[in-house]
Structures are given as structure tokens and as C-alpha cells.
Amino acid sequence: MSAITGIYHLNEEPVNLQQCRNLMTGLQKYPADSIQIWHSEKVFLGCHAQWITPESVGEQLPFYDFERRCTITADAIIDNRDDLFQMLQVKPLDQKGMTDSELILLSYYKWEEDAPKFLVGDFAFVIWDEKRQKMFGARDFSGSRTLYYHQSHQKFAFCTTIDPLLSLPFIEKELNEQWLAEYLAISGMVDAVDSTITPYKSIYQIPPSHSMTIEKNKLTLKRYSYLTQGKRLKLNSNEEYIEAFQSVFQEAVTSRLRTHRKVGAQLSGGLDSGAVVGFAVKKLQSENNKLHTYSYIPPEDFKDFTPKNLIPDERPFIKSTVSHVGGITDHYCDFKGKDSYSEIEDFLDIMEMPYKFFENSFWLKGMFEKANEEDIGVLLNGDRGNFSISWGFPLEYYSLLLKRLKWIRLYQELDQYRRNVGGSRLRKVKTIARIGFPIIDRVFPEGVPYKIPSLINPGFAEKTGVYDKFKEHGIDQTGWYSNSDIFNERKKHFEDVFQWNAGSTLSAKLSLRYKLWKRDPTNDIRVIRFCLSLPENQYVQNGVDRALVRNATVNYLPDKVRLNQRYRGVQGADWVHRMLPKWGQLIEEIEQLSTDKKALAFLDGQAINKALIKIKEGASPEFAPDPEYKFLMRSLIVYRFLKQFN
């Protein structure tokens, strides 16, 4: 893993080496195993390298190919090395020590600008093709690695992180109000629907699934990857589907174990991280290696206020997985004394932008700290599992059966689902009808949907036209797709690249800070393509939701975890409890925010004052799910960020 950077002078002017040094100096805050540069008269490339894979140890990067006169700098781990060796006809003697950056370069020689289509893994890279006087780069399909850039008529500069770019004299630190408007208006975790913009007006990013080309002084962005539901896979039995999935998923997990250091994994009590751990241990045990797992638990003095079906402390399920799987050194982290409020400043420094996932920010960062102390090189997780391996919403699937008039099948499924989960079959039929026929909700509305209030000042929203822009993308004022069912939500999740940026930014920047690589087999493009090809009855069957992963983890996970449909882990329920000693400071700072005219030009002051009255009444842990409490924390994070521009 590496932080990469560079400058390309489009006007034939020689690069200023002091500016190049400034870029590299800006990366010194991150640990490095090697720091190297390469430059010609008008091009500079740099690499602040962290050695994760065996092949990366001692790697020359940037790497210059004297014969082809091409130079590459790369932040990449490529997972389909064997396939590429075969397609590129790499001799067996040359395969073992070949670096991933050399593989990318060979792919570029063969497929030119189509090269990213053939790469599987997490990557961001830039190539200078001296013969063609062309610069080419790309970011992987989900943007697992960040890549920012600035472009003017005279200069192009890029970097893995934003701050080094701001050190260049030709780049101004100016707030991008369009990005901020989109961020504030969206109540979900998405930051902006325009996947090219950043919080800084003169700094952009290459979107996920895109490549960039600079030729004849013109920069072109091109999408090279589209994840859509293709031809349905038709096999003869459930057993064949399970075997096919296990093969694809084991390959995805195994390819992510490639490190000369230890392997770790984030482990909850659920299916996604459990499946990753189960398949990883199978491979590691064959090599006499152990897996280190890191699990979050609430502090000892936290009193559970959540409903019976929600579990803030997942240790009973986690320990069941650890015991069943074996070959695990397990770590349980309560991060005593840590809280979401105290972490704001450091997290803004890491992210270089506001963030919305404050409830678990301190333990997300804390797990990286713990893993770094244990010399973990790769930290596995199953973040994308809900949309890939553990897809399967029963009531939505049953609504399809209802619309298709499959009455007998629907009755059988409902009866089995009731036995597994409990509850009334008739009540579930009413819910299914509302899902299958949304017009019912328009005629007979039932309940108020849970949502965090929009952070945006209505006048600022009108000024930027942010809601009109949302309409262009088919989403409403909450940032969710309008008039959409769960199946379309999934389809759009993979089609719209803006969905990926926020989570990928977090993973990339935490990885860089702690010199380890967060890797997600449930986000492997081969796994996602396989999952998108499956018929819906592989995901819900015999009254079982998320049926594919449950069926495929027999012998990998204990039945207590594998067959659990009644209880769900809820991480972050203790965020208010942890902040109680800081509550007075929180109120004081929000009061400052409520009178700050510069901040209130962007933030909804009326909503802030309303929520402020509520939190002044006194804090209690059970208010953790309260949308107004969450609204104030999100507003405060933006307020801290805006202060950087004063």
C-alpha cells in the first residue's frame, strides 16, 4: 500500500522540484517503509510506500521501464494475479517476485486504456507514457483507494490525500459550496451525488470505476466498469449454487490474505464478518497461521436499553464463532474512556472532510490502532455483505410472490418464516401488501418513517439548487431513491458510483494512517457479479432470509450464528452513554454554533435551536437513537470543519 503523488506540467515548463518536495513532505505524517521519487523535465511522480504484500518488500516505486519508456506509481493490491499471468503470458520464473505495479504496467501495454477492466483488487495508479506523451490513471470499481487531483490550463497535480495538494502555491484552499450543499441535504451516509467533487473548490477526485487520461493537454474521465444484473445463473439444485458460491468466495478471501505480516479481521456476531472469518481460517490453518480477530464491546457500566431483538454486546455470538471456527486469537475492545465527541478533531484530520458515522468512529479507528500494535498487515471485514453475500429480504421477496399470485408458495413461506421469527402471519401479509403495492401507503399512510433531519439551511439549499440536482439522479430530499423498492435500491447501489465514496474514503485513509490494509472479500467484484446473477429464491427460501450465506456456511459457522433470525447486533447504542461526562462541553459548543452567522449560512439554525432545547433537558443513554441528537452531532462535525476556512 502506498500514498502516491505527482505533478505534470502541460505547458512544457520544467517542474519545480521544491513544489515536488512539498508534496512528499505533506505525506510524512504517514508511516512509510520506503520513500522514492522519479522525475523528468515536466513530470514528477512520488511514492510513500508501505510494504503489505511479500512482493512489495523492497519494491522500486515509482518504477521506470527503460525499454517502453513508461513510469508508474501505484497504490495497489491486485487479487487476480494468476489470471493475469496467464493472459499476459508471464513466464513461471518471473511470476513469484513480480510486483503488482509491474502487473498493472504489463496490463497497460496489452490493453491500453481498457487495462482497468481486467484488474481485480484495490487500486489507484498513474502511468506516464513518455512515447505517447500521455498520462493515464485509474481507481478501482468501488474506489477502495482515494485519488484526488487539481487541473488548470498549465498544471495537473494528483495525490492520495488532499492536504499535500493544498501546499502547492497554485491551489487555493477554498470551500466548495456545491459539495457542502449535497453533503448537508443528504440524510443518509452518502456524502455527495457528484462523485467528482470534494469539499475543496479546486480539488477533484477520480470517481470509482473510472480512469483518467491526459493527452494533448486535455483531461478525460471515462467509466470502465458497470455492475448490472446480467444473465441469471441457472443451476440444477441448491447444492450446486452453494458449491459455486463457496468456490468464488473462497477465492476472494484467499486472495486477500496475501501479506508478509499477520492477518486480522473485524468480527461481529453476525453472518458477514463471520463468513469472512470462517473462510479465512480454513486457508490460514492449512498454512499453520492464526487469525487475529477484533470485536467491539460496550463498556462495563453500560446498561442495555434496547429492545430484546437488538444486542449491543455481541460477545455470546462472537465467542460461539471463535470456538466453532478455531485457529483464532480473539480480542475484545471496549475502548474505555473513548467517545465520539473527543474524536472529532482527529477524525476530521484523518478524513480531510466531514463525516456522518460518528456513533462508531472511535472504535473504527481504535481497531486499526490495536491491529497496528499487533503488526497486522491485512484487516479483513464484511462491510459490503448486506448487498452481496447476505442479500435477502423476506417480506420484499414475499411481495413478489404476492404480485405474481403464487398463493400456495407464499402461504408455505409465511408459515415457515413465522416459525423461525415469530409473529402473526396475517400481520405480515398486511406488511407485504404495502411493500408490493406502494399505492396503499399513499392512500392509507401508516406511521412516520425514521430519518435524521436535513442539516442544510433552506436558503442555502435554494441558492445551490441542490434538490434539483438530486432529482436528476432519481433521489429525494433524504438522499434515497424516490418511489423505489428494495430490489431497485440494490440495483442502483451498484450502478451509481457516488454510493461508494464515503465508506471507501474512510477505509483508505485509516489504512494509510495505521500502515495496514482494510480488505473486504464481500466487496470482491467477482463475488458481486456472482451474487447479482442469482435468482431471488436463492436469497430467501423456506422461511429463511439471507439464505445463500446461511446455506453456504454450514460447518463454517455455528448454528447459533448461522441460523439466527431473531437477534441483531446494534453497534453504537452506547454513544450517548460514553459522552455523558462531556455533555456540558457539547451543549456549550452547540450554543456557540447556534449564534455563528458564518456557519448558519449553511446549517439549519432553526432546527439546531429546536434540538438544543431537547439536549439541555438532560442526557440519557436511551436517547442514542434520537434523530435530533444525531442531527446535532452531525451539525457539530460540520461546524468544526468549517472553522478551518475562517
Side-chain angles (χ1 to χ4, degrees):
M1 186 180 76
S2 306
I4 60 174
T5 189
I7 298 176
Y8 173 25
H9 279 196
L10 309 175
N11 59 358
E12 305 298 325
E13 175 189 337
V15 292
N16 183 317
L17 292 182
Q18 182 56 51
Q19 293 175 5
C20 302
R21 283 190 284 269
N22 289 347
L23 285 174
M24 298 304 291
T25 299
L27 295 172
Q28 285 182 1
K29 63 193 287 188
Y30 306 107
D33 293 304
S34 173
I35 299 172
Q36 301 176 60
I37 63 171
W38 175 94
H39 69 89
S40 61
E41 189 174 7
K42 63 179 182 178
V43 176
F44 162 81
L45 300 176
C47 184
H48 192 88
Q50 299 175 346
W51 297 337
I52 303 296
T53 66
E55 297 81 9
S56 68
V57 177
E59 179 180 10
Q60 179 68 41
L61 201 64
F63 172 75
Y64 179 62
D65 183 338
F66 287 91
E67 182 181 349
R68 307 253 195 162
R69 291 166 58 195
C70 282
T71 312
I72 184 171
T73 188
D75 173 21
I77 294 182
I78 301 302
D79 294 323
N80 63 331
R81 286 169 60 89
D82 290 341
D83 292 339
L84 289 172
F85 287 148
Q86 186 174 358
M87 289 186 284
L88 297 169
Q89 298 181 323
V90 178
K91 296 176 182 177
L93 286 175
D94 297 328
Q95 292 179 10
K96 187 174 182 182
M98 181 170 285
T99 65
D100 290 338
S101 56
E102 289 178 275
L103 257 180
I104 294 170
L105 208 48
L106 290 177
S107 301
Y108 172 72
Y109 297 153
K110 181 175 179 64
W111 296 299
E112 298 183 352
E113 293 183 17
D114 284 333
K117 295 179 182 179
F118 296 89
L119 304 176
V120 175
D122 303 338
F123 59 81
F125 66 85
V126 173
I127 295 169
W128 169 242
D129 189 332
E130 189 177 352
K131 284 184 179 179
R132 299 182 182 182
Q133 292 291 289
K134 177 170 79 171
M135 184 167 275
F136 176 74
R139 196 172 166 206
D140 68 69
F141 86 97
S142 64
S144 298
R145 317 309 298 164
T146 49
L147 194 57
Y148 303 101
Y149 70 89
H150 165 84
Q151 181 204 14
S152 68
H153 294 301
Q154 298 179 328
K155 296 178 177 71
F156 174 83
F158 69 88
C159 193
T160 298
T161 59
I162 293 172
D163 195 55
L165 291 172
L166 295 173
S167 72
L168 297 174
F170 51 86
I171 300 180
E172 291 185 37
K173 185 176 182 179
E174 187 179 356
L175 180 66
N176 186 340
E177 293 190 0
Q178 184 61 47
W179 183 94
L180 183 63
E182 294 183 21
Y183 178 90
L184 296 176
I186 295 172
S187 63
M189 288 297 171
V190 171
D191 49 18
V193 296
D194 186 338
S195 55
T196 66
I197 59 177
T198 76
Y200 301 89
K201 199 168 186 178
S202 57
I203 296 176
Y204 300 85
Q205 60 184 327
I206 296 175
S209 298
H210 280 69
S211 64
M212 69 97 183
T213 303
I214 304 176
E215 197 168 19
K216 296 179 180 177
N217 291 0
K218 182 183 178 183
L219 184 148
T220 304
L221 292 175
K222 177 184 176 183
R223 184 165 182 177
Y224 66 82
S225 174
Y226 292 85
L227 277 172
T228 55
Q229 185 176 295
K231 187 178 179 181
R232 288 289 191 188
L233 180 66
K234 292 185 179 179
L235 300 178
N236 294 322
S237 65
N238 277 346
E239 289 71 27
E240 288 187 16
Y241 282 110
I242 290 167
E243 287 177 14
F245 169 77
Q246 289 174 333
S247 176
V248 172
F249 193 59
Q250 186 67 64
E251 182 181 24
V253 173
T254 299
S255 63
R256 283 165 173 75
L257 303 177
R258 186 164 57 99
T259 180
H260 66 285
R261 292 155 61 191
K262 297 176 185 176
V263 178
Q266 294 175 319
L267 178 62
S268 71
L271 284 168
D272 297 327
S273 62
V276 170
V277 163
F279 280 75
V281 167
K282 179 182 179 182
K283 176 62 177 176
L284 290 170
Q285 284 183 324
S286 70
E287 301 168 347
N288 295 316
N289 290 321
K290 281 210 162 192
L291 179 69
H292 292 257
T293 60
Y294 299 87
S295 304
Y296 174 68
I297 57 174
E300 289 182 1
D301 60 348
F302 173 71
K303 294 181 180 179
D304 185 8
F305 61 85
T306 61
K308 288 184 179 180
N309 65 312
L310 299 180
I311 310 174
D313 188 346
E314 299 181 67
R315 267 177 291 188
F317 290 91
I318 295 168
K319 288 185 175 182
S320 179
T321 295
V322 169
S323 175
H324 181 90
V325 172
I328 290 174
T329 301
D330 47 334
H331 306 262
Y332 299 91
C333 312
D334 67 0
F335 302 110
K336 186 177 181 179
K338 299 287 187 181
D339 63 80
S340 302
Y341 181 70
S342 302
E343 294 288 327
I344 291 175
E345 212 61 42
D346 195 35
F347 231 86
L348 285 173
D349 182 58
I350 293 170
M351 293 293 292
E352 304 180 293
M353 61 185 66
Y355 58 96
K356 296 176 179 176
F357 39 80
F358 67 88
E359 297 95 333
N360 53 4
S361 58
F362 63 91
W363 68 253
L364 287 172
K365 182 166 78 77
M367 283 190 180
F368 275 79
E369 291 173 348
K370 295 284 187 185
N372 175 265
E373 291 168 6
E374 296 285 338
D375 192 35
I376 300 298
V378 165
L379 185 65
L380 302 172
N381 71 93
D383 287 353
R384 196 68 62 180
N386 284 339
F387 286 92
S388 59
I389 69 169
S390 65
W391 176 256
F393 292 81
L395 300 185
E396 283 77 2
Y397 174 62
Y398 299 158
S399 75
L400 290 182
L401 296 181
L402 178 64
K403 285 194 283 188
R404 294 169 183 169
L405 305 181
K406 304 284 187 180
W407 300 109
I408 296 175
R409 176 78 180 277
L410 175 60
Y411 179 87
Q412 293 170 339
E413 282 282 349
L414 278 174
D415 190 54
Q416 291 171 305
Y417 184 68
R418 181 183 58 81
R419 292 177 188 176
N420 294 338
V421 180
S424 161
R425 186 165 54 224
L426 178 60
R427 189 176 301 158
K428 287 181 171 56
V429 169
K430 291 179 180 178
T431 304
I432 292 163
R434 288 181 178 275
I435 294 169
F437 302 96
I439 193 170
I440 295 174
D441 270 329
R442 297 192 192 111
V443 180
F444 305 106
E446 190 174 279
V448 178
Y450 175 93
K451 71 172 185 176
I452 298 172
S454 171
L455 275 61
I456 196 166
N457 179 316
F460 181 49
E462 186 176 353
K463 171 187 167 185
T464 55
V466 64
Y467 293 127
D468 290 333
K469 190 167 186 179
F470 285 2
K471 288 178 184 177
E472 294 173 14
H473 291 270
I475 62 177
D476 60 26
Q477 293 186 12
T478 66
W480 296 103
Y481 296 104
S482 307
N483 301 319
S484 180
D485 59 33
I486 196 69
F487 303 106
N488 191 52
E489 290 275 356
R490 186 196 196 199
K491 178 174 176 286
K492 298 291 286 182
H493 177 82
F494 289 115
E495 288 179 352
D496 291 338
V497 294
F498 65 79
Q499 297 278 355
W500 309 84
N501 264 331
S504 296
T505 299
L506 170 66
S507 298
K509 291 183 178 178
L510 281 175
S511 296
L512 186 59
R513 175 184 267 210
Y514 294 103
K515 196 185 170 187
L516 56 89
W517 199 299
K518 186 176 180 180
R519 309 224 60 207
D520 183 1
T522 69
N523 188 48
D524 186 294
I525 195 168
R526 297 165 295 191
V527 170
I528 290 173
R529 283 174 174 154
F530 175 85
C531 290
L532 288 176
S533 74
L534 296 181
E536 282 297 332
N537 62 12
Q538 282 301 305
Y539 291 112
V540 181
Q541 55 181 238
N542 303 321
V544 175
D545 63 358
R546 306 165 77 183
L548 175 69
V549 70
R550 295 186 195 277
N551 292 336
T553 50
V554 174
N555 300 324
Y556 287 86
L557 291 176
D559 285 352
K560 178 176 181 175
V561 173
R562 189 178 67 85
L563 300 179
N564 170 39
Q565 288 183 264
R566 291 178 180 262
Y567 305 102
R568 182 166 61 87
V570 52
Q571 298 162 340
D574 59 347
W575 75 269
V576 172
H577 169 82
R578 288 177 173 272
M579 283 174 47
L580 291 179
K582 311 279 175 52
W583 208 253
Q585 294 173 242
L586 173 69
I587 290 174
E588 186 178 337
E589 190 170 3
I590 292 174
E591 284 179 330
Q592 293 171 5
L593 162 58
S594 69
T595 60
D596 189 309
K597 292 182 180 179
K598 289 183 179 179
L600 295 180
F602 306 114
L603 294 163
D604 188 340
Q606 187 174 348
I608 289 170
N609 285 318
K610 178 187 173 187
L612 184 56
I613 293 171
K614 178 181 285 190
I615 71 162
K616 280 183 174 180
E617 292 173 354
S620 182
E622 55 264 29
F623 285 120
D626 191 303
E628 289 191 300
Y629 274 52
K630 295 189 176 192
F631 162 80
L632 284 180
M633 277 295 290
R634 288 188 178 185
S635 298
L636 185 58
I637 290 166
V638 174
Y639 178 49
R640 292 268 194 101
F641 178 74
L642 291 174
K643 283 183 175 182
Q644 300 175 23
F645 294 90
N646 290 343

